[in-house]
Amino acid sequence: MPKVNEFVNINTLDKEAKKDYFDRHTPFIYCDNDAKKGEKFIVKIKIGDQYPHPDDFDHFIKYVQLWNNETLLGETYFTAGTMGSQPGNVEVDFYIVPQRKMKLTAMSYCTKHGLWQSQAKEISVE
Ligand SMILES: [Fe+2]
């Protein structure tokens, strides 16, 4: 079983290198707090908030997943060079059609530093 790196608030970290390391791997979920049942709902996932992640042939963000509780809703795969072989923040927009309230979590996988989990975000659906 792989280790899953859970969300850390980088304001609680003292060293700049540590803030960079945690932030650049962490998926962040951007979407409304409320959704309408049966209507398309957009969920943006961005990897890293303040620090960019490398896009090298042996070190890049390989996939991004969106989960609702224990159900995988979608995933997107990347190859090295997708971000122009420059440091950046991978972004993915998922369009989902919710039926009931959701608890969303995003995961990202770095080819060098493993699995990273976002904070969970609860969405009410009416
Ligand atoms: Fe990495």
Side-chain angles (χ1 to χ4, degrees):
M1 189 65 188
K3 177 188 177 212
V4 176
N5 296 285
E6 294 190 9
F7 176 82
V8 172
N9 181 343
I10 64 166
N11 294 323
T12 63
L13 303 173
D14 50 353
K15 294 203 170 85
E16 181 68 16
K18 248 187 167 177
K19 290 177 195 263
D20 186 338
Y21 178 73
F22 277 90
D23 184 84
R24 72 182 195 240
H25 289 103
T26 300
F28 292 87
I29 299 175
Y30 299 95
C31 65
D32 293 338
N33 295 320
D34 312 292
K36 288 207 167 71
K37 183 179 175 178
E39 290 188 15
K40 206 176 271 185
F41 182 71
I42 183 170
V43 181
K44 177 185 287 294
I45 310 298
K46 185 176 171 190
I47 313 305
D49 177 43
Q50 299 176 38
Y51 297 86
H53 188 277
D55 181 26
D56 299 331
F57 76 96
D58 62 346
H59 184 200
F60 60 97
I61 300 296
K62 187 167 188 178
Y63 63 79
V64 177
Q65 297 176 326
L66 178 63
W67 293 79
N68 177 26
N69 294 302
E70 290 87 37
T71 303
L72 178 64
L73 297 179
E75 58 190 335
T76 302
Y77 281 79
F78 296 91
T79 55
T82 302
M83 299 298 290
S85 302
Q86 296 172 2
N89 300 93
V90 166
E91 286 181 64
V92 182
D93 288 345
F94 290 98
Y95 292 83
I96 60 177
V97 180
Q99 298 299 318
R100 60 192 67 83
K101 78 174 182 158
M102 301 180 291
K103 187 176 179 185
L104 300 178
T105 308
M107 301 287 294
S108 66
Y109 177 72
C110 164
T111 56
K112 224 178 210 176
H113 303 110
L115 272 174
W116 297 75
Q117 182 177 329
S118 74
Q119 276 187 302
K121 181 162 181 167
E122 303 214 11
I123 312 296
S124 64
V125 178
E126 294 173 16

